[in-house]
Amino acid sequence: MDILTILISGIAGIGGGFGVAKVLEKKNVSNLIKNAKKEASSILKDATQEAENIKKDKMLQAKEKFIELKAEHEQVILSRDKKMAEAEKRTRDKESMVSSELARAKKSADELEIKIKEHQSKIEILEKKQQEVDRMHKSQLNQLEVISGLSADEAKEQLMEGLKTEAKAGAMAYIQDTLEEAKLTAQQEAKKVIINTIQRVGTEEAVENCVSVFNIESDDVKGRIIGREGRNIRALEAATGVEIIVDDTPEAIILSCFDPVRREIARLSLHKLVTDGRIHPARIEEVVAKTTKQIEEEIAEVGKRTVIDLGIHGLHPELIKVVGRMKYRSSYGQNLLQHSREVSKLCGIMAAELGLNVKLAKRAGLLHDIGKVPDTESDLPHALLGMQWAEKYGEKEEVCNAIGAHHDEIEMKSLLSPIVQVCDAISGARPGARRQVLDSYIQRLKDLEQVAYGFGGVKNAYAIQAGRELRVIVESEKVNDDRAAELSFEISQKIQTEMTYPGQVKITVIRETRAVNIAK
C-alpha cells in the first residue's frame, strides 16, 4: 500500500513537473518572439533611416553634379559666343580692308589709265621724231654714197670683213693663252688631287703565298692524321684538293695549295678533326662538307662587313657574296678584297675632291674587279664580265660603265669611269703591291685542272705538288679500271700538246668504289 502510494505520488510529481516545464517553455518562447520582433523593428527602423540618409546624399550629389555641368555648359556657351564675336570682328576687319583695297585699286587704276594715255602721247611724239631721224639718216647715206663711190651694202660688207679678221686674230690669241693656262692649271690640279688622295689612304704591301701552317700540340697527332697505311691523309687530300705535307717539322703540318679557299677549308677541317679526336675517312668527308658550307657563310658575312665598313647600301645579296669571295682571291699576288677596298676609298676621296657623288664612286671602286671571281670560267675579260653582273643585279648605269671601262674595253661615258681607272692604277702600280710571277703560276695550275675537266666522267681535278702532279678523281659508275688507265694517258697527251710547263707532270687517276647500306 505504501509502495503504491509512493508510486502514485512520484508519477503525480513527474506530471506536475512536466506541466510546469511546458508552461515555463511557452513563456520563454513568447519572450524570445517579443525580443525578436523588437530587434526586427529596430533593424527595420535603422535601415529606413540609413536609406533616407543615402537618398539625401545622392540627391545632394546629383544637385552638385547638375550645378557643375550647368557651369561647364555656360562656360562653353560663353567661349563659343566669344569666338563668334572674334570671328565677326575679323570678318568686319577684312571687309573694311577689302573695301580700302578696292578703293586704292580703283584709284591706282585711274592713275594707271592717265599714265597710259601720257605714254601713248609720248610714243606718238617719239615715232614722229624717229621718222624724221630715219629721213635724215637716209639723206646722209645718199650723200656718203655719192662722195665715196660705194653703196651702203658694199661699205657695210667691207667693214664687216675687216672686223671679222681683227676679231678672229684676237680670239685665236685669247684661245691659245687660255689653253696654255688651262693645261698648266689642269696638270697642277690633277697632281694635287692624286697626291692628296694617296696621302689620305693607308696601304699595305701584298704578302701572298701558297702554303699554310697547321700547328699541332704534339707529334703524336701526325700519326693519327696519316692513319693506317696513309688512308686518312689520302682521304683528306681527295676531299679538299690540298697537298698535306707531314715532315720532321716539330708540331706543324704544311698545307700546300694555290687556291686559298681550298687551303682554308683544309685547315679548318683539320682543326675540327684534331679537336674532336675522331679521324677516319667517313668522318673526314663529313667534316669537309660542313666546313665548306661554313666557309660559304663566312664569305657572305665578309661581304656584309665590307659594304658596311665602306658605307655602301642597297647592294644586291649576290654581289655581296661576290665581294666576300674576293677575300680568297688574288690579283698578281695582291689580295683582291684588299685591293678593291683600297680602290673604293681612293675613288671616294677623289670624287669628294672633284665634287662628284662619293657614294657612287665608292660603289664603282668596290665592284670594279668582281669579274675576277666567277663561279665558272668565261672567255670574256673580267671588266666586261663584271659589268654584265652589275647590270644583271640592278646597278646604276654610271657604276656599270665604270666597271666595264676601267681597262678601256668600252667607251667611258661618265666621270666615274676615269676615276676608277686612275684609282685602280694607283692601287696596283705602287711598289710592293703585286707580284706577276705568282699570278701567272696560279693561272697555269688552273689551266692544268681545266684540261682534266674536259674529259667525261671526271668528278674532281686537283693540281698539287706545285703543278708537278695532277690528281684526277673519277666517277666509278661512268669510268671502269681500263678506262681510268686510258684517261690518264689521254690527259697526259693533251697536256703535252696544249700546254707549256716546266719539268714533268704526273697524272694520277683515282677510281674508288663504295658499297653503302644502313642497318635498321
Side-chain angles (χ1 to χ4, degrees):
M1 187 67 182
D2 293 332
I3 295 169
L4 183 61
T5 303
I6 292 168
L7 287 172
I8 292 169
S9 299
I11 291 168
I14 291 170
F18 183 74
V20 172
K22 283 287 183 179
V23 172
L24 290 173
E25 186 179 354
K26 286 182 180 180
K27 187 177 181 180
N28 289 332
V29 168
S30 62
N31 290 333
L32 287 173
I33 291 170
K34 287 180 182 179
N35 291 334
K37 286 181 179 179
K38 288 180 182 180
E39 288 180 2
S41 62
S42 176
I43 291 169
L44 183 60
K45 185 178 179 180
D46 293 340
T48 305
Q49 185 66 32
E50 188 175 353
E52 287 293 330
N53 292 335
I54 292 171
K55 183 178 178 181
K56 289 179 182 179
D57 291 341
K58 292 295 180 182
M59 290 181 68
L60 287 173
Q61 289 178 4
K63 287 181 181 179
E64 291 176 357
K65 188 68 177 178
F66 175 74
I67 293 168
E68 288 178 3
L69 292 173
K70 185 178 179 182
E72 289 179 1
H73 182 64
E74 290 175 353
Q75 187 69 27
V76 170
I77 291 172
L78 289 174
S79 175
R80 189 177 299 169
D81 292 342
K82 185 177 179 181
K83 287 181 180 178
M84 290 178 64
E86 291 175 354
E88 289 177 357
K89 184 180 178 183
R90 286 197 298 270
T91 305
R92 288 195 298 273
D93 293 342
K94 286 182 179 178
E95 288 176 354
S96 62
M97 287 175 64
V98 169
S99 300
S100 60
E101 288 292 333
L102 286 173
R104 282 199 296 270
K106 186 176 180 181
K107 185 178 179 182
S108 300
D110 295 339
E111 293 175 354
L112 183 62
E113 188 176 354
I114 295 169
K115 287 181 180 179
I116 289 171
K117 289 179 180 179
E118 291 177 355
H119 184 65
Q120 287 177 349
S121 63
K122 287 180 181 180
I123 288 173
E124 291 175 358
I125 294 169
L126 287 173
E127 286 178 352
K128 290 180 181 178
K129 289 185 178 180
Q130 184 65 38
Q131 291 175 1
E132 183 68 23
V133 169
D134 291 341
R135 188 182 61 77
M136 292 177 67
H137 179 66
K138 189 174 181 181
S139 175
Q140 287 177 356
L141 284 176
N142 291 331
Q143 291 177 6
L144 286 172
E145 286 178 359
V146 172
I147 294 170
S148 62
L150 294 172
S151 65
D153 292 336
E154 290 174 349
K156 188 185 294 183
E157 187 175 349
Q158 288 184 6
L159 180 62
M160 288 177 65
E161 286 295 330
L163 289 173
K164 280 182 182 179
T165 305
E166 185 178 353
K168 188 182 289 185
M172 289 299 294
Y174 177 75
I175 289 170
Q176 190 67 28
D177 293 341
T178 305
L179 282 174
E180 292 296 330
E181 184 179 356
K183 285 179 182 178
L184 291 173
T185 307
Q187 193 173 12
Q188 291 173 358
E189 288 297 322
K191 287 180 179 178
K192 181 180 177 182
V193 169
I194 291 173
I195 289 170
N196 287 339
T197 302
I198 294 173
Q199 285 177 342
R200 289 165 62 183
V201 175
T203 57
E204 299 177 2
E205 290 192 0
V207 179
E208 197 70 33
N209 52 47
C210 293
V211 297
S212 296
V213 178
F214 178 72
N215 296 311
I216 55 179
E217 295 180 357
S218 66
D219 289 341
D220 296 338
V221 180
K222 291 182 179 180
R224 292 164 55 201
I225 292 173
I226 295 171
R228 184 180 299 173
E229 298 178 356
R231 64 174 188 171
N232 290 347
I233 197 168
R234 283 200 303 273
L236 267 169
E237 290 179 345
T240 60
V242 174
E243 183 183 1
I244 300 174
I245 303 170
V246 182
D247 54 15
D248 296 334
T249 306
E251 298 181 354
I253 293 174
I254 307 298
L255 308 177
S256 176
C257 181
F258 68 93
D259 190 336
V261 178
R262 286 194 217 160
R263 210 162 59 239
E264 184 66 10
I265 290 173
R267 188 186 68 80
L268 292 175
S269 300
L270 262 178
H271 177 73
K272 290 179 181 178
L273 289 166
V274 171
T275 304
D276 184 52
R278 295 176 292 166
I279 305 176
H280 52 82
R283 176 66 177 163
I284 287 169
E285 291 179 1
E286 179 186 349
V287 169
V288 169
K290 288 182 179 179
T291 306
T292 304
K293 186 177 180 181
Q294 178 185 341
I295 288 293
E296 291 175 357
E297 293 174 355
E298 183 182 344
I299 283 171
E301 187 63 28
V302 168
K304 289 179 184 177
R305 286 201 304 269
T306 301
V307 297
I308 290 171
D309 290 345
L310 295 174
I312 297 172
H313 305 287
L315 204 63
H316 195 278
E318 290 299 323
L319 290 180
I320 291 177
K321 290 181 182 178
V322 172
V323 171
R325 284 204 296 270
M326 288 182 183
K327 178 182 177 181
Y328 297 103
R329 293 290 185 272
S330 62
S331 176
Y332 297 100
Q334 185 181 26
N335 182 270
L336 197 57
L337 180 59
Q338 187 65 31
H339 166 65
S340 297
R341 288 174 64 103
E342 188 176 312
V343 172
S344 177
K345 291 178 182 177
L346 288 167
C347 289
I349 295 169
M350 195 170 287
E353 291 284 343
L354 298 175
L356 301 176
N357 191 321
V358 175
K359 292 184 178 180
L360 277 185
K362 282 187 174 184
R363 203 180 192 96
L366 179 65
L367 300 177
H368 80 284
D369 268 349
I370 57 175
K372 289 186 176 181
V373 285
D375 293 327
T376 57
E377 293 296 325
S378 174
D379 295 333
L380 283 176
H382 75 273
L384 297 181
L385 182 60
M387 182 181 72
Q388 288 183 0
W389 282 3
E391 290 173 347
K392 178 181 177 182
Y393 296 119
E395 289 298 316
K396 292 188 177 180
E397 185 179 353
E398 299 96 317
V399 175
C400 296
N401 182 256
I403 295 170
H406 79 276
H407 283 311
D408 294 321
E409 276 89 1
I410 61 173
E411 181 185 355
M412 295 184 181
K413 295 182 180 179
S414 70
L415 287 175
L416 285 182
S417 302
I419 288 176
V420 171
Q421 188 180 53
V422 168
C423 293
D424 181 43
I426 291 172
S427 175
R430 59 184 175 79
R434 293 184 171 182
R435 297 176 183 174
Q436 296 187 8
V437 176
L438 178 62
D439 197 70
S440 60
Y441 157 74
I442 290 174
Q443 187 60 44
R444 180 170 65 83
L445 297 185
K446 287 182 178 179
D447 294 341
L448 194 62
E449 291 181 350
Q450 288 303 315
V451 169
Y453 281 118
F455 291 86
V458 175
K459 183 179 179 182
N460 289 313
Y462 301 125
I464 60 176
Q465 295 283 347
R468 291 189 294 274
E469 181 180 351
L470 179 63
R471 190 164 293 176
V472 183
I473 301 171
V474 297
E475 299 178 21
S476 59
E477 296 84 0
K478 297 181 180 179
V479 179
N480 56 26
D481 290 339
D482 295 334
R483 176 57 186 158
E486 292 176 5
L487 189 62
S488 176
F489 177 75
E490 290 174 2
I491 293 173
S492 66
Q493 293 302 308
K494 189 170 183 179
I495 291 172
Q496 285 182 12
T497 55
E498 295 184 3
M499 293 188 65
T500 302
Y501 54 91
Q504 297 178 344
V505 180
K506 178 184 176 183
I507 294 89
T508 304
V509 176
I510 301 172
R511 177 178 179 271
E512 184 180 23
T513 304
R514 295 187 186 183
V516 180
N517 287 289
I518 299 173
K520 296 182 180 179

